[in-house]
C-alpha cells in the first residue's frame, strides 16, 4: 500500500437505497451467477467434446465463455457476500485486485470480439483462403494477443492507481471498484490517470469497436451480393449470434463509461453497470445456444447421453 494512503478499506453504497430488498437481490444475483457458470461451462464442454466444433469460430467462442466466467466471478461473489453485511466493505488491496481483473476481462473481451469479427469476415468474404488466414497458429495468436492487450492495459491502470493519495472519504457509490471511482476519491493529481484512461478508451475500447463495425459492413455487403435468398440466409446465420453479442457488449460498455455525468441517480448507475458487468456474461451463452444449430445439436446430444447413463445406473 502506498505510504501516503490513509484509506485502508472502501464502503460500497450500491443497493443501499433498498435495504429491505437485500434478500431478493441476493437470490436474483445468485441465479444470474449460477446461470452464467452453467451456460458458459456447457459451451466450453460442447466445443471440446464435439469434433464438428473444432473450428476457429468455436475455438474463439470457448475462450469467450471462459473469459465470461472470469468476468462474472470478479464481481458477483463479493457482491453476494455483502448482501448479508450491514457494512459492505472491501479492503484497499482487494479493491485494486478487483480493478485489475475487471479491467483485464473487459479489455480482453473487446479485443476478442474484434478477432471473432475478423474470423467471420474471412469466412464470408474470402472462403477459399479461410484455412490459410485462420490457421491454428493464427487463432492462437489472436486469442493470446487479446489477453495480452487486456493484461497490459489493466496493469498500467492498476499501477497508476497505487500512486493515488486517498485521504477520504472512503465511500464508493457503487457495488464494485473501478478506476473512475478511485479518481473521484483521490486528493492528489489525477491528470496522468485520466490521460491513460483516454488512451485506453481509444485503443482498447474504440478501436476494436470500429474494427468490428467495418468488418460487418464488409460482411453485409458480401452477403447482399449472394444471388440466392437461401444462400444469403445461411451466410447471415453464421454471424448473427456474434453480431448480437457485439451489439450488447459495446452498447452497454459505451452506456456504462460514456454516459453523461449528470442526470443519473445511484439506481440508474447500478442498473447500467449490472447490464454490462453481470448481464453480458450471462447473455452470451444463451444467445449462442439459441442461435447456433451446431451448439444446440451438441448440447442435445450431451443431455441425451447423460440421461441414458443415468437410466443405466438406475
Amino acid at each position: 500500500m502506498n505510504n501516503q494512503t490513509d484509506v485502508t478499506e472502501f464502503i460500497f453504497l450500491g443497493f443501499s437505497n433498498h435495504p429491505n430488498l437485500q434478500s431478493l437481490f441476493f437470490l436474483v444475483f445468485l441465479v444470474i451467477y449460477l446461470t452464467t457458470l452453467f451456460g458458459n461451462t456447457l459451451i466450453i464442454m460442447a466445443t471440446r467434446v464435439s469434433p464438428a466444433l473444432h473450428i476457429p469460430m468455436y475455438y474463439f467462442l470457448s475462450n469467450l465463455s471462459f473469459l465470461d466466467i472470469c468476468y462474472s466471478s470478479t464481481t458477483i461473489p463479493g457482491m453476494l457476500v455483502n448482501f448479508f453485511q450491514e457494512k459492505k466493505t472491501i479492503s484497499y488491496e482487494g479493491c485494486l485486485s478487483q480493478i485489475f481483473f475487471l479491467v483485464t476481462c473487459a479489455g480482453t473481451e473487446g479485443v476478442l470480439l474484434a478477432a471473432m469479427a475478423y474470423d467471420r469476415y474471412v469466412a464470408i468474404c474470402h472462403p477459399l483462403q479461410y484455412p490459410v488466414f485462420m490457421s491454428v497458429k493464427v487463432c492462437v495468436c489472436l486469442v493470446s494477443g487479446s489477453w495480452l492487450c487486456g493484461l497490459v492495459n489493466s496493469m498500467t491502470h492498476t499501477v497508476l492507481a497505487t500512486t493515488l493519495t486517498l485521504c477520504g472519504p472512503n465511500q464508493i457509490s457503487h457495488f464494485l471498484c473501478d478506476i473512475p471511482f478511485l479518481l473521484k476519491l483521490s486528493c492528489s493529481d489525477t491528470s496522468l490517470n485520466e490521460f491513460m484512461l483516454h488512451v485506453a478508451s481509444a485503443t482498447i475500447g474504440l478501436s476494436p469497436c470500429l474494427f468490428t463495425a467495418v468488418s460487418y459492413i464488409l460482411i453485409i455487403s458480401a452477403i447482399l451480393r449472394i444471388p440466392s435468398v437461401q444462400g444469403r440466409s445461411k451466410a447471415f446465420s453464421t454471424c448473427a449470434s456474434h453480431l448480437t453479442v457485439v451489439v450488447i457488449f459495446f452498447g452497454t460498455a459505451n452506456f456504462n463509461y460514456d454516459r453523461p455525468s449528470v442526470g443519473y441517480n445511484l439506481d440508474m448507475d447500478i442498473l447500467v453497470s449490472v447490464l454490462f458487468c453481470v448481464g453480458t456474461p450471462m447473455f452470451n451463452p444463451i444467445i449462442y445456444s439459441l442461435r447456433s444449430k451446431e451448439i444446440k445439436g451438441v448440447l442435445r446430444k450431451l443431455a441425451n447421453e447423460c440421461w441414458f447413463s443415468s437410466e443405466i445406473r438406475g
Side-chain angles (χ1 to χ4, degrees), residues 35-36 39-40 43 68 280-290:
T35 302
T36 301
N40 284 292
I43 295 290
D68 283 334
T280 302
M282 181 186 67
F283 293 144
N284 289 351
I286 295 175
I287 292 170
Y288 274 100
S289 297
L290 293 176

Side-chain angles (χ1 to χ4, degrees), residues 84-312:
F84 293 101
Q85 306 292 330
E86 183 176 350
K87 188 179 180 182
K88 309 179 193 307
T89 63
I90 187 172
S91 66
Y92 175 79
E93 294 85 356
C95 183
L96 291 180
S97 298
Q98 189 175 71
I99 287 174
F100 175 78
F101 289 110
L102 184 68
V103 176
T104 297
C105 292
T108 301
E109 183 154 344
V111 180
L112 183 60
L113 288 174
M116 295 173 73
Y118 172 72
D119 170 68
R120 292 299 83 208
Y121 162 75
V122 175
I124 293 176
C125 298
H126 303 282
L128 298 179
Q129 297 171 298
Y130 185 78
V132 177
F133 287 166
M134 297 306 298
S135 64
V136 174
K137 183 178 180 180
V138 171
C139 293
V140 172
C141 287
L142 288 174
V143 171
S144 302
S146 300
W147 278 100
L148 182 61
C149 289
L151 285 169
V152 170
N153 177 57
S154 179
M155 184 65 72
T156 301
H157 291 301
T158 306
V159 170
L160 288 176
T162 62
T163 65
L164 295 174
T165 302
L166 305 174
C167 310
N170 64 336
Q171 295 180 336
I172 297 178
S173 299
H174 222 280
F175 62 84
L176 53 80
C177 284
D178 205 353
I179 298 296
F181 305 140
L182 287 192
L183 296 184
K184 291 180 180 179
L185 299 179
S186 175
C187 50
S188 59
D189 182 29
T190 61
S191 57
L192 179 58
N193 303 71
E194 293 172 356
F195 173 75
M196 292 307 299
L197 278 179
H198 291 305
V199 172
S201 178
T203 56
I204 302 295
L206 183 60
S207 297
C209 184
L210 290 178
F211 180 87
T212 304
V214 172
S215 297
Y216 270 101
I217 290 174
L218 297 175
I219 289 172
I220 293 173
S221 300
I223 291 175
L224 293 177
R225 291 196 297 268
I226 298 176
S228 67
V229 175
Q230 184 178 3
R232 289 197 296 269
S233 176
K234 183 178 180 180
F236 186 75
S237 66
T238 62
C239 57
S241 299
H242 177 252
L243 181 59
T244 305
V245 169
V246 164
V247 171
I248 292 176
F249 177 80
F250 285 112
T252 54
N254 180 72
F255 200 46
N256 186 58
Y257 288 108
D258 297 328
R259 63 185 183 274
S261 58
V262 295
Y264 284 85
N265 56 26
L266 178 59
D267 289 340
M268 181 58 71
D269 284 338
I270 296 297
L271 177 60
V272 172
S273 291
V274 164
L275 289 174
F276 177 60
C277 300
V278 179
T280 302
M282 181 186 67
F283 293 144
N284 289 351
I286 295 175
I287 292 170
Y288 274 100
S289 297
L290 293 176
R291 299 286 310 182
S292 173
K293 294 180 180 179
E294 293 83 1
I295 290 289
K296 286 192 290 186
V298 173
L299 293 179
R300 193 179 299 114
K301 182 179 178 181
L302 287 175
N304 291 335
E305 289 177 354
C306 291
W307 178 84
F308 184 71
S309 298
S310 64
E311 287 292 313
I312 293 178

Side-chain angles (χ1 to χ4, degrees), residues 31-109:
V31 171
I32 290 175
Y33 186 52
L34 293 178
T35 302
T36 301
L37 294 180
F38 181 71
N40 284 292
T41 301
L42 278 181
I43 295 290
I44 294 173
M45 289 177 56
T47 56
R48 289 291 184 270
V49 303
S50 175
L53 301 183
H54 292 174
I55 59 177
M57 180 172 67
Y58 293 108
Y59 171 73
F60 289 125
L61 178 57
S62 64
N63 279 276
L64 179 64
S65 294
F66 174 73
L67 181 60
D68 283 334
I69 291 174
C70 298
Y71 196 11
S72 59
S73 298
T74 301
T75 55
I76 300 183
M79 190 195 315
L80 293 175
V81 172
N82 276 333
F83 281 129
F84 293 101
Q85 306 292 330
E86 183 176 350
K87 188 179 180 182
K88 309 179 193 307
T89 63
I90 187 172
S91 66
Y92 175 79
E93 294 85 356
C95 183
L96 291 180
S97 298
Q98 189 175 71
I99 287 174
F100 175 78
F101 289 110
L102 184 68
V103 176
T104 297
C105 292
T108 301
E109 183 154 344

